[in-house]
Amino acid sequence: MDTSAAPTITAAVPGSFEWDVFHGRHPKLIRQVLDSTPYTPAEEAKLQQLLVESTTGVIEPLPQTAHDRADWLAWGEQMYGRPWGEVPFLWSESYFYRRLLGAVGYFGAGAWRGIDPFAPVKNAELTGPEVDQELNVFADVADASEDQQHQALLVAALWGNRADLSFQLQLNTAAAEAQSEGILVDDSALLWSALTSQDNPIVCVVADNAGRELLADLVLADSLLAQRLAAEIVLYVKPHPYYVSDATMADVLAVVERLRADSRAQIGRIGDRLWDAVRTGRLKVRTHKFFCAPLAFHEMPDDLAAEFATATMTVMKGDLNYRRLVGDRYWPATTPFGQTVDYFPSPVTALRTLKSEVVVGLAPEQLTGLDASGQRWRTTGEYALIQARVD
């Protein structure tokens, strides 16, 4: 589909959601990083310098010694020397996180090399009391019918850290209407139909957040494998930390260990099955440097596109992957989802909670009602989408 008709989203407008990411969210993030890890004054100074540059300065290239300098020069040839707010928001926000990792020495030769600055936040979420509550419900779900189970776990994966509310309601038929209230589009029937129409379906899952969301993703993966709705699952994670809570291989292992160590028999068995699935190749965990690139999937390299092309279904998790999938543009919200993803090399399903401006696939009357509410409904996280293209 021609994307030129929809303007690219930037952070140039004061008071906009994107502008507030740089001027409100990022300063809080830097404070969180400094409060949760004992970085020295040298790292703190570099982080503060990044804040100043990204709010009042122009985009500077990576140092000559950066291992990925050539990649970023290629990805952003026209970006350097321009104010951060003037370039595509997807690019500038991604570059901010790359620069943050550089500031704390993640890629350097010193003692901080390979230390995830976001790990304390991820680990705290995975060990919090909410996880115990959700695992209680996962144990209950294990005793439900297969149809009830896989739909409940899909909704859990959709909502991420709201999973406890969502799939408990899903198990209660009388409350199904209340549960689905925030789901603006539900194409889940297309997903299940695609998976049941083949004997040995391959499902690619592009992960989003670590912690509780990845927990729900992996429990869903176990259910798909156990019910033979997937013969093989390929789980894609980031090659290194990115966007605060994005999942890496270390986060996958942490979730599997958490499940295996649980005292509830049903939960421990899920962890053991996932462990075995990784060892036997039924659950493959892969990564690619493109997952930390500042580009839409329209520009994915050929080798990654070839991997997706083998899938019966690719499931894109989360808001960032949605932006990369449909294009981070001011689409008219009634633009058909299928038109925006017609380039993708496999059938694709987006599981996405709305946390940014871009949205497609809504009915005109839906859009009218949402806009009339007076809320910033696109960015509050109170609404979600299950959108699929299967042809």
Side-chain angles (χ1 to χ4, degrees):
M1 181 179 182
D2 180 16
T3 60
S4 60
T8 300
I9 294 175
T10 72
V13 180
S16 66
F17 170 80
E18 297 78 19
W19 186 91
D20 189 59
V21 166
F22 277 93
H23 294 263
R25 183 182 300 179
H26 286 172
K28 293 176 182 175
L29 169 62
I30 295 300
R31 188 69 264 158
Q32 182 184 68
V33 167
L34 292 171
D35 288 345
S36 59
T37 302
Y39 289 115
T40 72
E43 287 81 39
E44 180 170 8
K46 291 177 182 177
L47 289 171
Q48 297 299 341
Q49 181 181 357
L50 173 60
L51 279 180
V52 172
E53 179 192 317
S54 62
T55 53
T56 65
V58 298
I59 299 171
E60 301 290 348
L62 294 176
Q64 294 282 350
T65 55
H67 74 284
D68 52 351
R69 176 180 166 89
D71 287 332
W72 279 95
L73 288 177
W75 291 335
E77 185 179 2
Q78 307 299 322
M79 310 301 176
Y80 301 105
R82 298 171 61 186
W84 285 68
E86 290 186 3
V87 307
F89 178 53
L90 179 63
W91 197 99
S92 60
E93 191 179 20
S94 298
Y95 191 54
F96 178 88
Y97 283 99
R98 170 57 185 88
R99 291 281 302 278
L100 186 156
L101 292 173
V104 299
Y106 182 87
F107 298 112
W112 293 110
R113 180 178 178 85
I115 300 299
D116 184 348
F118 312 125
V121 175
K122 296 177 185 177
N123 295 338
E125 180 176 314
L126 195 57
T127 58
E130 295 89 353
V131 168
D132 278 330
Q133 296 169 15
E134 290 174 11
L135 290 178
N136 279 331
V137 182
F138 280 133
D140 292 339
V141 170
D143 297 325
S145 68
E146 288 191 354
D147 286 348
Q148 216 176 21
Q149 183 181 127
H150 65 231
Q151 185 67 17
L153 295 178
L154 181 73
V155 174
L158 168 68
W159 286 112
N161 59 15
R162 283 183 55 186
D164 52 344
L165 170 65
S166 297
F167 66 80
Q168 284 186 70
L169 287 175
Q170 183 69 17
L171 289 175
N172 182 343
T173 304
E177 185 176 339
Q179 180 275 326
S180 63
E181 182 179 349
I183 301 178
L184 301 178
V185 179
D186 184 359
D187 290 340
S188 56
L190 295 177
L191 167 65
W192 303 129
S193 176
L195 298 187
T196 56
S197 65
Q198 292 197 15
D199 291 336
N200 295 293
I202 297 173
V203 179
C204 290
V205 179
V206 183
D208 185 33
N209 292 328
R212 293 163 65 192
E213 182 171 331
L214 184 60
L215 182 72
D217 294 343
L218 287 174
V219 173
L220 173 63
D222 169 69
S223 177
L224 294 178
L225 291 170
Q227 297 177 22
R228 303 190 181 280
L229 287 170
E232 176 184 305
I233 293 177
V234 183
L235 177 68
Y236 289 96
V237 297
K238 302 296 191 299
H240 56 73
Y242 191 59
Y243 276 66
V244 187
S245 55
D246 284 15
T248 65
M249 185 60 180
D251 301 312
V252 173
L253 296 176
V255 169
V256 174
E257 289 289 0
R258 174 66 182 85
L259 290 167
R260 295 184 79 205
D262 197 84
S263 60
R264 286 152 287 210
Q266 301 101 316
I267 302 303
R269 285 195 292 268
I270 292 173
D272 290 341
R273 287 195 299 265
L274 288 167
W275 177 283
D276 185 64
V278 173
R279 292 191 63 182
T280 59
R282 295 181 70 213
L283 174 59
K284 294 180 170 66
V285 186
R286 293 180 183 165
T287 191
H288 194 290
K289 70 180 182 181
F290 185 76
F291 290 117
C292 290
L295 307 172
F297 281 106
H298 302 71
E299 300 178 76
M300 76 178 109
D302 291 342
D303 61 334
L304 183 58
E307 291 187 29
F308 285 135
T310 67
T312 306
M313 178 65 69
T314 298
V315 178
M316 290 283 182
K317 282 296 311 296
D319 193 76
L320 176 59
N321 283 326
Y322 188 88
R323 292 163 59 192
R324 300 184 75 188
L325 177 65
V326 306
D328 203 32
R329 295 174 174 273
Y330 291 110
W331 295 107
T334 55
T335 304
F337 174 75
Q339 288 185 20
T340 65
V341 299
D342 58 1
Y343 70 94
F344 202 79
S346 77
V348 61
T349 299
L351 301 183
R352 182 250 183 153
T353 304
L354 275 68
K355 296 178 181 177
S356 64
E357 293 286 348
V358 61
V359 63
V360 297
L362 300 187
E365 59 273 16
Q366 269 186 312
L367 179 61
T368 300
L370 288 164
D371 285 343
S373 71
Q375 300 176 337
R376 300 182 72 168
W377 56 271
R378 295 171 182 251
T379 58
T380 61
E382 296 177 7
Y383 295 96
L385 302 165
I386 303 174
Q387 292 177 311
R389 189 218 79 199
V390 296
D391 52 359

